[in-house]
Amino acid sequence: FVYFYIGAFAGGGIVLNGRLFGGPTGNAGALGSMPVPGPDGKPTQLIDVASIAMLEKALNAKGIDGSHLWTSPQEWGDIGAELDEWIANAAQALAYAIVAASSVIDFEAAVIDGWMPLEVRRRLVDAVTDAITG
């Protein structure tokens, strides 16, 4: 399976035959650097779209202190439109990364995990699923 961890930075890895695959140099599966379309449609890296640091940056740009994102992965409170926009952008980028990775290896599954409340992760996974199937 392909595994994405969304924390301060987006990253992850590839698990083959029950083991994390690092390749001959240990750099295989560095998913954060995977090229994906950014919100503006221009190529960027997954890390620059799906990282929680990008959500914090968006909150701070609106004058909202985003530091509370790092105090607990269980509760972020009501974030509002910035969270909705981050989920939409991150989901598109993750969907693109999943489809691209699956074009190289026929993965049985894609796992999305991270430092976020369960409800946020559920919304993100649902949005990724919609982006892939819709």
Side-chain angles (χ1 to χ4, degrees):
F1 61 93
V2 60
Y3 175 84
F4 295 91
Y5 186 85
I6 309 302
F9 303 107
I14 295 171
V15 176
L16 297 174
N17 301 318
R19 303 183 80 180
L20 183 63
F21 179 73
T25 62
N27 292 320
L31 300 176
S33 60
M34 181 174 273
V36 298
D40 60 1
K42 294 180 181 174
T44 189
Q45 293 182 351
L46 180 65
I47 196 171
D48 294 328
V49 180
S51 297
I52 294 173
M54 297 298 104
L55 173 58
E56 180 183 33
K57 183 178 177 182
L59 290 170
N60 291 341
K62 297 284 187 172
I64 303 166
D65 180 15
S67 65
H68 71 282
L69 298 173
W70 311 115
T71 59
S72 171
Q74 287 85 28
E75 179 57 41
W76 285 355
D78 183 22
I79 297 175
E82 287 71 31
L83 177 61
D84 297 339
E85 185 173 343
W86 176 79
I87 287 173
N89 291 334
Q92 288 298 317
L94 285 162
Y96 188 94
I98 290 166
V99 170
S102 297
S103 72
V104 176
I105 297 174
D106 187 16
F107 291 108
E108 291 181 27
V111 176
I112 299 172
D113 195 5
W115 176 276
M116 65 188 80
L118 291 176
E119 174 62 18
V120 173
R121 186 172 11 187
R122 184 195 58 75
R123 288 181 57 200
L124 180 60
V125 168
D126 288 348
V128 169
T129 301
D130 289 347
I132 291 172
T133 61

